[in-house]
Amino acid sequence: MAQTATAEPQQNKMGVMPVGKLLISMGLPMVLSMLVQALYNIVDSVFVAQINEAALTAVSMAFPVQNFMIAAVSGMGVGVNSLLSRSLGEGNIEEANRAANNGIFLSFMTMILFVLFGIFGSRAFFAIQTSDPEIIEAGAAYVRVCCIGSFGCFGQIIFERLLQATGQAHLSMVTQMTGAITNIILDPIMIFGLLGCPKMGVAGAALATVIGQVLACVIGLIMNIKLNKTLTISPKYRPNGRVIAEIYRVGLPSIAMQSVGSVMNMAMNMILMGFTSTATAVFGVYYKLQSFAIMPVIGLSNAMIPIIAFNYGARKRSRISQTVRYSMISAEIFLVIVTMAFLFLPQLLLQIFSASDHMLAMGIPALRTMGLNFLICGICICSGSVFQALGNGVYSLVVSVMRQLVVLIPVAWLMSLTGNLELVWLSFPIAELMSLAVSLFFLRRIYKKRLSNME
């Protein structure tokens, strides 16, 4: 029988704390931890770029696999958080525990698929994108290590999501910072063979990442067992078909939405390789910088999901509206600053990755053009979190598919036929404008259908 606690919704800070203060208390630790998390990819690329441009290109081309891995567990985590937070808002603690424990089970089942891909498919993944043997060898080694050691990534993310969903985002920051700092320390040691360690090159960057993630996974598990008093992590909770179906009902659109980014990334790499491998390296640098720049907004949007889901379960419409409004304003203020950096400091950003003169000449106009995305993407990101929190993740999927597959790739391909690389970069702001229009349409629709009649 489900446990109920009628006082729980009134006592939980997500239902009573002033919304602005609540977003700061939950969002700031997430923002800081997401920034630290983003250093994984940035640091890998910064050190790998010191090997040569081919190594940087290989790591850039490996990003779709890493992104798909994160999408699989993060998207599933969205489903877990949505069900878990709604259950807490309704006072149903037993259902919240079932959501948490089934989420852990699903994350480790999914991990097995990536281990198999790392063993049998890593080389083929690069061979279909390029014929350069140096890029294929380096890239396959990098992906193989990341996939075989993916249990650290999957465990870290799911345990962090459980902490975030129960209002303890400050604890998840500890796990992410531990993993990222470990990676930063180990990267130069393993890549260049310092302090008696064998020189492993690109594979060393992957191994440093895996070690950091495994350590963060272990700490996350301990924190959920010892410090998370809201949930009970226990093997007594068996896989539950109803709960799994509900998790994936919300989570699958999010998985698909994030996976679309992997497809887009791979397709763009193939388009750009038609120009030169340097163009692919430039795109890789942009994608790393973009991932770092929007991490604070993603952290803020992750904080929105449990707040909105909880207050939807508690039937508090005004708190939902305030959460959305404050989040969008904060995101846009921050992203205006990011846009200025891409417009006025592109050379400095590229030099972080040891860019050659040829790469600088190609990359400076590219960053300025693609950097225009940031002016409007904050609204789209926050809208996606609203859709997911209210159980309409399919809206996020539609927006993402239209932006990255229906608009971005076809426009980029058509622009590439002109032979002018700078026109290819224009496909990014064009696609973002479409994303904004569709996001606002869905946001208005979901408010009218789900919230307009709520007391």
Side-chain angles (χ1 to χ4, degrees):
M1 178 179 296
Q3 298 177 13
T4 57
T6 55
E8 179 68 18
Q10 287 72 38
Q11 294 175 350
N12 192 299
K13 68 178 183 179
M14 288 189 285
V16 296
M17 183 181 288
V19 171
K21 183 178 179 181
L22 178 61
L23 271 172
I24 293 174
S25 69
M26 291 190 64
L28 186 58
M30 289 190 189
V31 167
L32 293 175
S33 65
M34 294 293 277
L35 278 173
V36 174
Q37 177 75 7
L39 289 175
Y40 277 119
N41 290 326
I42 292 287
V43 171
D44 278 358
S45 295
V46 167
F47 285 115
V48 165
Q50 297 177 31
I51 301 175
N52 54 47
E53 192 174 291
L56 176 60
T57 302
V59 171
S60 298
M61 294 174 70
F63 191 73
V65 176
Q66 293 176 294
N67 191 57
F68 187 51
M69 189 185 306
I70 294 171
V73 64
S74 295
M76 184 267 296
V78 167
V80 172
N81 277 14
S82 180
L83 176 58
L84 196 158
S85 295
R86 277 186 281 125
S87 299
L88 290 177
E90 295 164 357
N92 192 340
I93 306 302
E94 188 66 19
E95 183 73 354
N97 283 328
R98 279 193 289 265
N101 285 275
N102 277 271
I104 295 171
F105 168 78
L106 291 173
S107 67
F108 284 96
M109 288 297 101
T110 310
M111 173 206 71
I112 295 174
L113 299 177
F114 284 92
V115 172
L116 294 174
F117 175 81
I119 296 172
F120 300 108
S122 55
R123 178 175 293 275
F125 174 78
F126 284 89
I128 63 176
Q129 299 182 75
T130 180
S131 58
D132 188 320
E134 186 176 4
I135 294 176
I136 293 174
E137 288 297 325
Y142 186 87
V143 166
R144 189 178 300 115
V145 173
C146 287
C147 287
I148 293 175
S150 61
F151 69 92
C153 171
F154 278 75
Q156 175 187 353
I157 291 175
I158 189 61
F159 292 135
E160 287 170 356
R161 293 298 184 269
L162 298 183
L163 293 170
Q164 292 165 3
T166 52
Q168 301 183 78
H170 61 289
L171 296 180
S172 70
M173 182 177 65
V174 175
T175 66
Q176 288 196 354
M177 290 188 67
T178 300
I181 292 171
T182 300
N183 180 43
I184 293 170
I185 294 172
L186 293 181
D187 252 340
I189 295 174
M190 293 185 165
I191 292 173
F192 303 113
L194 306 178
L195 303 177
C197 179
K199 183 178 180 180
M200 291 181 278
V202 172
L207 185 58
T209 298
V210 167
I211 292 174
Q213 290 170 337
V214 170
L215 182 58
C217 170
V218 173
I219 294 175
L221 173 61
I222 294 172
M223 284 184 169
N224 272 285
I225 293 174
K226 300 293 186 181
L227 302 179
N228 193 342
K229 304 302 183 183
T230 304
L231 300 175
T232 300
I233 306 300
S234 171
K236 78 172 186 178
Y237 288 94
R238 305 297 182 185
N240 184 300
R242 177 188 59 79
V243 173
I244 290 173
E246 175 62 17
I247 288 172
Y248 277 123
R249 185 184 70 81
V250 176
L252 272 177
S254 180
I255 293 172
M257 178 185 66
Q258 295 181 64
S259 299
V260 164
S262 295
V263 177
M264 179 278 292
N265 199 292
M266 185 174 176
M268 282 300 302
N269 285 337
M270 296 176 73
I271 291 172
L272 294 172
M273 285 295 287
F275 288 91
T276 170
S277 62
T278 301
T280 303
V282 167
F283 174 63
V285 166
Y286 162 75
Y287 216 77
K288 303 282 185 177
L289 291 171
Q290 180 212 42
S291 299
F292 184 78
I294 66 173
M295 276 298 178
V297 179
I298 293 176
L300 179 64
S301 68
N302 284 343
M304 290 173 63
I305 292 175
I307 296 173
I308 293 174
F310 182 95
N311 285 284
Y312 183 73
R315 316 303 292 173
K316 296 182 178 180
R317 185 180 66 177
S318 63
R319 291 181 62 80
I320 296 173
S321 298
Q322 289 178 50
T323 300
V324 176
R325 184 168 62 253
Y326 292 169
S327 298
M328 286 187 174
I329 292 173
S330 301
E332 285 302 309
I333 291 173
F334 172 76
L335 288 173
V336 166
I337 299 172
V338 171
T339 303
M340 294 302 102
F342 272 73
L343 290 177
F344 298 111
L345 301 173
Q347 181 172 346
L348 178 62
L349 295 175
L350 287 163
Q351 287 175 335
I352 295 173
F353 299 88
S354 306
S356 63
D357 291 340
H358 178 55
M359 188 173 174
L360 285 172
M362 187 178 295
I364 288 174
L367 292 192
R368 283 175 173 159
T369 300
M370 291 187 286
L372 296 173
N373 290 349
F374 298 113
L375 287 174
I376 54 179
C377 73
I379 295 175
C380 302
I381 293 172
C382 291
S383 297
S385 292
V386 176
F387 306 150
Q388 293 163 8
L390 297 179
N392 288 78
V394 69
Y395 287 175
S396 298
L397 174 59
V398 171
V399 172
S400 186
V401 169
M402 290 185 67
R403 175 186 177 273
Q404 300 188 76
L405 298 186
V406 177
V407 178
L408 178 58
I409 294 303
V411 172
W413 177 74
L414 289 172
M415 295 294 192
S416 71
L417 298 180
T418 67
N420 186 341
L421 180 60
E422 292 189 17
L423 290 179
V424 176
W425 308 128
L426 276 174
S427 60
F428 286 85
I430 291 172
E432 200 64 55
L433 284 171
M434 185 284 306
S435 176
L436 176 64
V438 178
S439 294
L440 291 177
F441 171 78
F442 282 145
L443 192 62
R444 183 175 181 274
R445 184 175 183 180
I446 200 171
Y447 259 74
K448 185 175 181 180
K449 290 180 63 176
R450 303 291 292 275
L451 303 179
S452 61
N453 296 324
M454 183 185 296
E455 292 297 333

